[in-house]
Amino acid sequence: MQKKMGSGVEQKMENGEELASLLDVLPRVEFCCVYGSSLLTNSHDKKTMVDYILGVSDPMQWHSENLEMNKDHYASWMVHLGGSKLITEVADEIGVGVHFNPFVSWNDRMIKYGVVRMHDLVQDILNWERFYFSGRLQKPVHILVDNLDIRNVNSVNLKAAMSAALLLLPPKFTEVELYARICSLSYMGDLRMLFAEDRNKVQKIVKGQFNLFHSMYKPFLDDYAAKDLLRFSSWSDNHGIIIQTGTCIYHIIAYYRSPLRIMIRMVLLPYHSLLKDYGLSAAGSFVSSLPQTVRTRMGMKLGEKRKLAESGRTINEVVINSREEAAECMRKVVRRIVMVSSARQAIAGLLAAGGVNAVRYLARKMVKDWSSFSQDTSVTCSVIASFFFIGM
């Protein structure tokens, strides 16, 4: 029996038990979560595809067992030409380490599940090597199985995502804008966003799951506030104003004593000549929280300097001459990682989906693209180009 679970920061769903029961007809997994549009609070449509990520110790062995149990989940050509070995090789050598079975009919729902090696999942969460699973886990998910405590491991990913977003944001912003920036990280450079994806996707995700984003990132907001890198201003319909320290003299801080009682007080902050120092020191703090893969690539572009860490070890630190330069460099690094991963996974997804499912997936994407971009003449071009972005 697999350990099935949920938590307070993940989406609470009325049909959680129903979703978890899928695992009863699949081989054992070490990790499982549901993600995507099916988690939106206003999504009750049975036609909405439910997306799963399954983490397993040995994908080839898992697929071998699943082929015996659910052969119809796979593209027939992969089953007949190579079986579990071919399925795993396509995922590892062409894609980003995940094999998706889309359009699986189950319990009157349409589902899609991706199978990934646990080692690859952890490495991507910690290092953003592919920025594929890490990007998905920066948004609210519903965890069903977590035998290796991925939730705890993912805290490193969440802090890195917030640091990256803060580096890109202006001095003053709202919580909504913060979560939108975090959410958009995994779409920077994603080829699907150019041709075959809902242009309002980020806004819909944040609007539909704001409270879940707040629960996920509040500990990191509090941590940066304690380090005097952030200040919270007046509460409003935009869920509050956040100001990065050193950019203004006064802040209005709201303290919630009860849902109906708010106490406001003015706080005088030191201004002086701290603005420049703030920019560089804060940028350095944010960059230091980014994954090693990103910092290494930034160091290759901006230069590195050796520094003695608190642990006594000598480490390499990215040279930051200006906050803007560091932000733009990080943006380019992340965009490049996402672009390469999205292209690789698009090809692997096309092969894994098979001809019929590929056309079905394309049709669904075109519906989203048309509804969000119907006033733009480039929709016609997207119909053609989207054939290259199936199965992601």
Side-chain angles (χ1 to χ4, degrees):
M1 178 66 68
Q2 302 193 51
K3 182 181 179 183
K4 302 169 186 175
M5 61 189 299
S7 83
V9 301
E10 283 87 27
Q11 172 71 35
K12 300 296 185 181
M13 303 178 67
E14 293 181 0
N15 59 342
E17 289 298 318
E18 178 186 356
L19 292 175
S21 66
L22 169 68
L23 300 175
D24 295 332
V25 300
L26 296 174
R28 176 183 173 83
V29 302
E30 300 296 334
F31 173 79
C32 173
C33 72
V34 179
Y35 70 96
S37 57
S38 62
L39 295 182
L40 295 175
T41 55
N42 60 352
S43 177
H44 304 289
D45 188 357
K46 281 277 188 177
K47 296 180 180 179
T48 300
M49 185 178 292
V50 182
D51 301 306
Y52 292 79
I53 291 177
L54 308 178
V56 303
S57 57
D58 184 345
M60 188 180 298
Q61 178 62 33
W62 193 92
H63 287 302
S64 179
E65 295 176 15
N66 198 39
L67 282 169
E68 295 181 3
M69 301 168 64
N70 304 291
K71 183 182 294 186
D72 59 319
H73 291 184
Y74 296 83
S76 59
W77 79 270
M78 299 192 82
V79 175
H80 296 306
L81 292 184
S84 62
K85 186 175 187 295
L86 177 61
I87 292 168
T88 305
E89 287 178 347
V90 169
D92 291 342
E93 303 301 326
I94 299 178
V96 294
V98 59
H99 170 86
F100 278 102
N101 282 332
F103 291 102
V104 174
S105 181
W106 174 79
N107 272 14
D108 297 324
R109 296 295 297 263
M110 199 65 71
I111 69 170
K112 177 180 73 176
Y113 62 88
V115 181
V116 59
R117 186 179 292 101
M118 284 301 300
H119 176 269
D120 295 341
L121 175 64
V122 172
Q123 288 302 307
D124 195 46
I125 289 173
L126 294 178
N127 298 318
W128 293 8
E129 292 180 352
R130 303 288 173 76
F131 210 164
Y132 194 80
F133 305 105
S134 49
R136 279 155 173 72
L137 292 175
Q138 287 165 5
K139 309 172 188 68
V141 298
H142 184 63
I143 294 180
L144 301 173
V145 177
D146 192 10
N147 294 336
L148 300 182
D149 201 14
I150 294 300
R151 180 185 290 103
N152 185 52
V153 174
N154 195 48
S155 62
V156 176
N157 181 35
L158 298 183
K159 182 176 182 180
M162 173 164 282
S163 298
L166 291 173
L167 195 60
L168 295 171
L169 283 165
K172 186 176 180 180
F173 54 90
T174 67
E175 268 197 273
V176 170
E177 291 168 335
L178 171 63
Y179 302 145
R181 178 62 68 178
I182 290 173
C183 187
S184 68
L185 291 174
S186 60
Y187 298 124
M188 293 194 305
D190 190 333
L191 299 179
R192 295 173 303 165
M193 300 304 290
L194 299 176
F195 302 110
E197 194 58 87
D198 186 347
R199 297 304 178 94
N200 301 314
K201 188 170 188 174
V202 169
Q203 290 77 10
K204 289 180 179 178
I205 292 173
V206 174
K207 180 180 179 180
Q209 304 179 85
F210 175 83
N211 290 334
L212 295 172
F213 273 103
H214 180 76
S215 297
M216 290 172 66
Y217 287 98
K218 186 178 187 301
F220 307 104
L221 279 172
D222 293 342
D223 180 55
Y224 277 137
K227 293 177 179 177
D228 206 27
L229 293 174
L230 297 176
R231 283 290 183 271
F232 299 92
S233 185
S234 58
W235 202 260
S236 68
D237 292 338
N238 288 326
H239 304 287
I241 305 297
I242 302 173
I243 304 173
Q244 301 195 44
T245 307
T247 59
C248 61
I249 299 178
Y250 289 98
H251 299 279
I252 304 177
I253 302 180
Y255 292 87
Y256 283 77
R257 297 301 179 87
S258 72
L260 299 177
R261 181 182 177 190
I262 302 177
M263 182 173 71
I264 306 293
R265 70 185 177 97
M266 297 295 295
V267 178
L268 177 64
L269 295 177
Y271 190 71
H272 317 306
S273 59
L274 295 179
L275 183 58
K276 182 177 179 181
D277 292 338
Y278 149 76
L280 290 180
S281 62
S285 177
F286 298 148
V287 169
S288 67
S289 296
L290 297 175
Q292 182 64 46
T293 298
V294 177
R295 284 186 283 116
T296 297
R297 298 190 186 188
M298 290 181 66
M300 294 172 63
K301 296 177 180 294
L302 301 180
E304 293 181 329
K305 60 183 178 181
R306 300 186 71 80
K307 177 183 177 182
L308 187 65
E310 294 181 0
S311 63
R313 295 188 302 109
T314 301
I315 60 174
N316 291 329
E317 187 177 74
V318 178
V319 175
I320 300 176
N321 295 314
S322 75
R323 182 190 182 96
E324 293 73 21
E325 181 183 52
E328 184 58 27
C329 181
M330 185 211 66
R331 187 197 308 272
K332 290 180 178 179
V333 167
V334 172
R335 181 184 291 120
R336 175 66 179 175
I337 295 174
V338 174
M339 183 178 295
V340 172
S341 293
S342 66
R344 291 181 58 177
Q345 187 56 34
I347 298 171
L350 175 60
L351 295 173
V356 175
N357 282 333
V359 173
R360 294 177 69 188
Y361 187 88
L362 171 63
R364 293 173 69 93
K365 288 296 182 183
M366 286 302 92
V367 169
K368 290 184 178 181
D369 190 38
W370 182 269
S371 63
S372 65
F373 205 38
S374 58
Q375 301 302 317
D376 197 307
T377 56
S378 64
V379 170
T380 303
C381 298
S382 71
V383 173
I384 299 173
S386 294
F387 278 101
F388 296 100
F389 307 101
I390 298 171
M392 298 172 65

